[in-house]
Amino acid sequence: MSDMKNDTMIDVTLRDSSASDRLKEVESMKLVELKEKLKKRKLNTSGNNKVLQDHLKAALTLEIEHGEDENENEGDEDEDEHDRDGQ
């Protein structure tokens, strides 16, 4: 039973470490990158660098809490395009 508990603790630590890295990355992103990431999530892209960083950090935090991967929605735009074309 203690092995299972240790495995769970390791998983949580790794997830927290990865989450922390993702949030720190946001601080070094340029305005264009921030807007791209926000647009992909269908979020507001207006504002200065600090405002967009805050929006993206909030979105990432929610994704992390819900166990979503940042790359899960990357194909959505292509699917929407096919729907409009009737394919």
Side-chain angles (χ1 to χ4, degrees), residues 10-51:
I10 290 169
D11 289 344
V12 169
T13 302
L14 290 173
R15 187 174 60 226
D16 289 347
S17 172
S18 174
S20 176
D21 290 345
R22 286 173 64 188
L23 292 174
K24 285 179 185 175
E25 279 181 22
V26 172
E27 294 173 11
S28 64
M29 287 183 182
K30 305 236 183 255
L31 194 66
V32 174
E33 293 173 292
L34 292 166
K35 286 186 176 190
E36 180 182 302
K37 298 276 187 185
L38 290 166
K39 184 177 180 182
K40 193 183 329 180
R41 290 169 172 81
K42 298 179 177 143
L43 298 173
N44 188 351
T45 58
S46 2
N48 63 26
N49 208 32
K50 176 70 174 130
V51 169

Side-chain angles (χ1 to χ4, degrees), residues 49-64:
N49 208 32
K50 176 70 174 130
V51 169
L52 298 183
Q53 285 175 348
D54 290 344
H55 288 320
L56 186 54
K57 284 180 182 179
L60 287 171
T61 301
L62 286 173
E63 289 172 10
I64 291 163

